[in-house]
Every structure is written in structure tokens, then in C-alpha cells.
DNA sequence: AATGAATGAGCATTCATTCAT
DNA sequence: CATGAATGAATGCTCATTCAT
């Protein structure tokens, strides 16, 4: 009990602190003192700070991938080999992304973590995520491909990442943006609101006309 | 020679290292040793690491804001009080964003830095940017407002940030994404390519249908 | 063994170095290297240099205050509510001051430290001492008050500090003065000698005639 | 003009800062920035921090010794070979000590500096003072000797230092003590007050009965 | 299973001083 | 005569990690 408790308390605290201040700016001392756990406990239970970071991600991504695979199974069963519409795919992914954090801390923390995983120097994290969770994403992009047969492969790849950027950037920087929005428009946005606003933009972005592959009037940049 | 040189060498090195590994992960020792400059030189010329970070941004943003103001002046002159079309506004901004880094290091570094400014815990940076460059952004959003009279203010605010997210996330994480794209599609994308691809998506996103303000079928999330 | 040992070695070394060269002139590296202890050990065990300084004082003052309270208890019991003579009070204080250092390093170090506490810029120290040990001094001055009913309160306050100055200055600058004395008179003074010499001077100082509160033939000074 | 001005501004600023915070705690940067003088100016004009410290003292002690010698000359002339009474000697010294600072900053600063010279690790200072100003003190002690023929030489030496301690300790720690006094007795003391109070105590201390050279009931201390 | 103590490497910053101009 | 730039050494402190118990 005590053992499990310690591990959980470390993970709970770490995920909040990581999301708040980034990985490098969060010391093991910060975590262990806030979690009221011995300083050596992190190294004892996780081996290193790196492994702790990965464990924090695994606790979100493991249930997510399981759920997402199941949801895609159901979707494929429902459409019996026919093409699954893009909107249904996106909707399904959104639902799964939302379900997991709903059970624990918050979507914001999860997104913040994802944002950090991309933006921060933690090369090991990108590798870890690719290794452990690459297959779901591959399955998903395969289905998206069938749903958007007119989109060239490269175009689809980039657009998916454009949209990923939109979502991660918005939800991970949520607090700062929310502050500005509230200050400027006196309007408090909930995560639900934001997702409602995101949906049509994402869909429109995916369905935007394909640009001509030629001329470009912008100057070059290194 | 020596005096200007030292400051420049520090800034050049710092911006590359910051972009590569983030602020916290880049020590002054990293910077000064790579720049072949005395360790104390950073504190002598900039006062502190914080101020160095701000100076790195200023070197990009100062010429950008100047250029952008000029470009908006020209645009307003050209349209003589009439509404400037959204696409032209976006195009103008993109051009200015591209011109500045073209003269120095690279767009990638600039975007990486912008991404860090949003994602990393450097509160002082966000404050500094808001203080020094908030006015251009305000001017720009004012013009966007005239160009999109049917969009509710809050909706416009959020969509601009959605699109900002798209651009920053993509261009700042460029290397990683480029690696994956190259691996998967054997296609090497230039920044020009990427911007060509981004344009229709951004425009479509801004012009997406406005969502109903009511019901939401997604589960709640904390 | 190791655990207590490190703390003790740090304190032992720190108190000697502080007394020899002052607080600012003694670096943690000086202390830890002389104490053959890891550099980080000071911060691990004490938290900061400030706290180490306070701990050095506490190790002298804690046993002193305890002893002094006990001695004053005994004195009060002995005199059964009658006024305790001044000389007995001074004698008792002197005995307690001497007993504590006798058990550890030396009176000289203790006095040197006290002198530093007054003369050096360590505001935190004065505050710390006032906070932790102010009450004994208050009790003592209360008894002195009863022993010198004819002395105005302010006069008594200043005379006590005059005498404190005499003692601290002499005993803390002991080495330098001893050098001069030895050179000039070929006479080596022990601390015992010095205290024997101090006693009548202090008593005479406390009992000096009270000056007229009026005229003053000295010129003014800023 | 500019040259002299710089030197003066450095000395003025340095003496205040040294008195406020001690030598080690006052950096050349502190001094030069407060004096609005180039950082290198101290080393340019004085050669080193050490020499600056000595120069600060010299500016007080040079006029003092000159004045004191003159005053002693006058006293000797007045008494025409007869013994000068102790009180007159002390009074004369006090007058000279007070006159010099009266013309510049303040007595407090001077005493603070003297206190530092004794208590702080600046060995070079003690040597410098001994070298440059030892002769006046020797002349003075010679006269005191004639005024107190019954006092053994060693006793006189120590009592002079006891009294020096009283004066320096009180006047150098003036601010702190004044705070306490004011708080406790609501009485604001001027330097004049203090000196009026000091006089009888010092005289009584010098004239205290000579202790028996033997027995001592106090415990020994290292 | 868990922890208090300890460690060596590294951190940003400040120092007095030097030197070319 | 004066100074801005630069420097090497040292400062207090924090870090992730290790280890004996």
C-alpha cells in the first residue's frame, strides 16, 4: 500500500508540476517535497528523471491507446469495410482523448505534456512515444487516408500535423490564452467551449482546397 | 571590432542553442564556450540570462515590428479607407515574418523561439513580448476585425490563435516533422513548400462556419 | 557516526574561520575544504550560509542561556526576594559566559563571534539573536535594575552597553592586543588575567557618578 | 577639476558604504556606481581596493594626528613640564576626535571605520594604522603614564584599551543601540548626550582600584 | 521497501583587476 | 586623464544521483 501510494503520489505531483513549468524547470526536489515523499524515492521507484517523465506519459497514453483501438474496432465493425467518414474519425479521436484525462487530472495537463513532448529538448520522449504509441497513430492515419482519397499523401500528413498543432498549442497554452481572452472579452471559456470552436476549424482545415504545387510569391527563407 | 563582435557572437550562439534545446537546458557556459567568449561576458553585456533571452527575441522582433508597421501603412494607403481583405492581411504578415529571418539565421530558429516563448515557463518573456510588441498585434487584429465583420469577436480571437498554433507548432517542430515526412514519403519539404501548404488551410480555418453556441456531444473534461 | 560527524566538523571549522576572518571573508569552500567535507554538505545540512552562521551562534548561546537562567534562578532563591547585589549579578554572568566555551573551543572565538554579530552587516544575525536570546538579557537587565535603583533607566541601559563594549572589544580583539602588550611589556596575559583586570573597571564604570544632564563643553558632531 | 572630483566622490561614497556594510560586503561596483564614476576609476586612482580603504582612513587620521599633536603641544606648554591631569588629557583627545569628523561626514562613520579596522580581518589596515599613526598614540600614552604614576604599566595599557573598546563599540554600533534605546525608553540620544554619559564612566574605569594580582574564583577558559 | 546522508558536477552570478584605446 | 570591454577566479547554491543502512 505504502509503496503504491508513493508511486502514485509521485506521478500525480510530477504531472502537475511538469505541465506547469516544464521538465527542466521541475526538479526532483520540487516533486518529492510537494508529494511529501523521500527525495530518493523517485530514483528508487523509477530509476531516473527520464524514466519518471516517460511514466507520466504512459499513464495517459496507455489507457488512451487501448480505448482508441477499441473505438476504431467498433467504427470498422459499424461501417463493415466501407469508408469511415473523416468527421466520424476525428470525432472518435476527440472522444477518446477527452475520456482518459476526464478520469484523472485534466485535459490541460495532458495537452501541456504533449506540447512539451514536441517542443522541448527531450529527444528521449519523442523516441519513447513513437516507439510505444506509433502503431495507433499509423492505424488512424490509414483510416484517414481512406476517408480522404483525393488528398495527396504528403498533403494529408502535413494537414494532420497542422491540426495537431492547432489543438496542442491551444489547449496546452490554455491558461495564458484564457487570461487574455477573459481580459479582452470578459468571457470565460471552458474546455468544452473551446472544443466546440475547434471542430469546424479543424474540419475546414482538413478540407481546404489543395494548393497548386508550383509558383510561390513569397521570398525564400533558410 | 572586439566589442560589437562579442555581443553578436553571444546572440548568434544563444539563439541557435536556445532553439535547439530550450532556455533552461542551455547554460551560459554552453553559450560562452561555443561562442568562444569569456563566461562573464554574458553578464557583463546583458546583465543576466533573462535579459539575454529577451535580447535574442528583440533582435528578431524589433525589425519585424518596424517592417510590419510599414507594410500595414502601405496596405492602408493602398485601400484608402476601404476594408483590406483577410487574405491580403495574412499574406502581408507572412511576408514580414519571412523577410526578417531571411536576413539572419533562419525562420526555423525564429519560430522555435516563438514556440518556446509560449510553451516554456519563462513568464518574464511573455510579459516582455506583450509589453514591447503588443501594439503591432493589436493593430493587426483590428484590421482583421474589419476584414471579418461577421465573425464574433471571441470567435475571431480564438481562430487567430488556432492559426498561430498551427504555424508555430509546425514551423518550430519542423526538424522532427521533416524527419518523419522524409522517412515516410521520401519527400524533402522546404520552408517555402510548407508555407504554400499552410496558406489554404489557414484561410479555410479562419472562414470555417461558425459553430452553434449550444449543445455539445462530447463528454466534459476538467 | 558519519552523519553527526559531518555536521560537527562543519560547525567546528566554521566557527574558527568566522572568528579569524569574519563572515564575508570566509567562503563555504574555505570551510568545507578545511573540514574535509563535501562542498554541498553545508547546504544539505544547514540550508544556507546564513543558517550556518546562526547555527554557529546557537551552539554557544543555547547552553549559555540555559545555564544563565538556572544560575539566576539559584541567585533569586538564595536572596529570597531581596535585591541581588550588582557585583554578584555581574559575577554570575561572567561565570556562565566562561563555562560554556570552556567546554568547547574557546572564549576568544565566542567573543570574536559576538563582536562580529554587532559590527558586521549581518542584519539577519542581530535579528536572530534578539529573537532567540532577547528574553535572558531582559531578565538580567531587570535584576540589574533592582540592584541599581538610583540609576536612571536610560543611564543604566547605556552603561550596560558601555561595559558590553569593553568586554567584547577586548576579548574579541584579544590576539592583536595581546601581541602589542607582549611586545611592549614582555608580559603574556591569560584570559584569566584579563578578566581579573576587567572586573574592577566594569564595576567602577557601572557605579560612576551620574553626569549632570545639562551643559557640555564639547563641540557638536554630526 | 574632474580628476579631483572623481577622487573625492569615490572617497565620500566609499566611507559611507564601508561604514554601513563593512569592507568585504562593499564591492567596488557598489562604490563606483553610487559615486557615478567609472568602474575602473578606483583601480586607476588608488591602485587597489586595499589602498582605497587606507586612503579613506588617512583622510580622517591625517588631520586628526596633526590636530592632536598641536593640542598636546599646547597642553604641555600650558603645564610647563608639570604633570598634565588625566581628565584634561582625555578631554583633549575627545575634542580632537570630535573636531575632525565635524568637518566632514560624521563621527559615527569614523567610529564605525575604527571598529571595523579592529574587528575585521583586514590585517593590512591594522599594520597601516600602526605604522602611520602609532607615534601619536605613543606620545599620548606617555603623557597618560605621567598622569597615572600609581598604575602599573600593564594595567594602564589594558585600561586604555578597555576604554577604547567602550567608546568604539558604543559609537560604531550607535544606530543599532540607538534604535533599542529609543524603542525601550522613548528617548532619542544625540552623540553629544552619549559623550556626556561616556565621560564619567571612562574616568571611573581608569581610576578603578587595582585588583590583587593573585586568586581568581572564575573557572579557566582556553 | 524505503530513507537520510552524502556527493561531484554544474549552475548563474559577482568579484577585483587589467588593458587597449 | 579616463573608460568601456574584457577576463579568470571565486562566490553561494542546486542538481540528479548513489549508497549504506
Amino acid at each position: 500500500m505504502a509503496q503504491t501510494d508513493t508511486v502514485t503520489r509521485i506521478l500525480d505531483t510530477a504531472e502537475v508540476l511538469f505541465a506547469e513549468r516544464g521538465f527542466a524547470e521541475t526538479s526532483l526536489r520540487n516533486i518529492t517535497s510537494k508529494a511529501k515523499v523521500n527525495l530518493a524515492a523517485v530514483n528508487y521507484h523509477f530509476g531516473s528523471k527520464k524514466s519518471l517523465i516517460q511514466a507520466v506519459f504512459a499513464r495517459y497514453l496507455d489507457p488512451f491507446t487501448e480505448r482508441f483501438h477499441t473505438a476504431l474496432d467498433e467504427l470498422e465493425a459499424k461501417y463493415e469495410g466501407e469508408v469511415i467518414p473523416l468527421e466520424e474519425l476525428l470525432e472518435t479521436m476527440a472522444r477518446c482523448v477527452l475520456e482518459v484525462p476526464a478520469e484523472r487530472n485534466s485535459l490541460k495537463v495532458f495537452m501541456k505534456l504533449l506540447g512539451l513532448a514536441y517542443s522541448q529538448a527531450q529527444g528521449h520522449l519523442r523516441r519513447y512515444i513513437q516507439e510505444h504509441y506509433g502503431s495507433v497513430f499509423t492505424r488512424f492515419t490509414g483510416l484517414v487516408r481512406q476517408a480522404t482519397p483525393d488528398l495527396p499523401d504528403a498533403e494529408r500528413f502535413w494537414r494532420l500535423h497542422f491540426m495537431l498543432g492547432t489543438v496542442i498549442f491551444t489547449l496546452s497554452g490554455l491558461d495564458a490564452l484564457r487570461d487574455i481572452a477573459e481580459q479582452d472579452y470578459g468571457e470565460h471559456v471552458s474546455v468544452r467551449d473551446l472544443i466546440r470552436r475547434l471542430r469546424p476549424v479543424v474540419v475546414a482545415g482538413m478540407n481546404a482546397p489543395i494548393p497548386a504545387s508550383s509558383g510561390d510569391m513569397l521570398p525564400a527563407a533558410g
Side-chain angles (χ1 to χ4, degrees), chain A:
Chain A
M1 179 166 59
Q3 159 193 19
T4 286
D5 199 45
T6 299
V7 168
T8 307
R9 279 231 300 285
I10 291 175
L11 285 171
D12 287 346
T13 312
E15 97 184 6
V16 171
L17 290 181
F18 284 154
E20 272 175 9
R21 355 201 305 197
F23 301 121
E25 291 91 345
T26 304
S27 73
L28 294 189
R29 268 173 176 74
N30 291 155
I31 296 168
T32 53
S33 73
K34 201 184 168 200
K36 287 176 185 171
V37 151
N38 184 275
L39 168 61
V42 168
N43 282 285
Y44 178 73
H45 287 289
F46 297 92
S48 71
K49 192 181 182 182
K50 265 187 193 176
S51 306
L52 171 61
I53 293 176
Q54 294 172 356
V56 166
F57 271 85
R59 205 167 54 145
Y60 274 101
L61 289 180
D62 283 344
F64 166 74
T65 42
E66 202 192 314
R67 226 171 267 251
F68 196 32
H69 270 305
T70 307
L72 291 180
D73 288 346
E74 289 169 9
L75 220 50
E76 287 183 324
K78 177 178 164 198
Y79 281 90
E80 295 177 334
E82 277 184 64
V83 170
I84 306 168
L86 176 64
E87 302 209 9
E88 192 130 15
L89 283 168
L90 295 173
E91 208 62 55
T92 301
M93 184 179 216
R95 200 177 346 102
C96 291
V97 165
L98 285 167
E99 275 172 12
V100 173
E103 290 169 8
R104 62 173 57 262
N105 230 306
S106 81
L107 178 64
K108 189 194 75 190
V109 171
F110 182 35
M111 284 295 159
K112 201 103 189 179
L113 290 174
L114 271 186
L116 286 173
Y118 269 86
S119 74
Q120 227 152 332
Q122 310 281 346
H124 72 97
L125 232 189
R126 208 138 46 206
R127 247 171 288 126
Y128 175 85
I129 291 177
Q130 185 103 2
E131 245 172 61
H132 287 69
Y133 310 102
S135 63
V136 222
F137 195 68
T138 303
R139 181 180 180 191
F140 176 69
T141 51
L143 292 171
V144 170
R145 187 182 191 183
Q146 293 172 25
T148 54
D150 299 333
L151 222 49
D153 280 2
E155 195 68 38
R156 187 185 309 105
F157 169 85
W158 284 110
R159 289 196 176 180
L160 277 173
H161 278 95
F162 292 164
M163 298 303 106
L164 193 62
T166 307
V167 173
I168 288 184
F169 180 88
T170 308
L171 295 181
S172 73
L174 190 56
D175 287 338
L177 295 177
R178 190 139 60 178
D179 280 355
I180 304 175
E182 212 154 338
Q183 198 177 324
D184 287 10
Y185 307 101
E187 182 184 336
H188 182 84
V189 287
S190 67
V191 174
R192 291 175 76 109
D193 285 337
L194 217 51
I195 289 175
R196 187 176 42 77
R197 290 186 200 279
L198 270 168
R199 214 181 320 170
V201 173
V202 168
V203 172
M206 288 301 292
N207 290 326
I210 300 171
S213 63
S214 61
D216 184 356
M217 57 171 127
L218 295 175

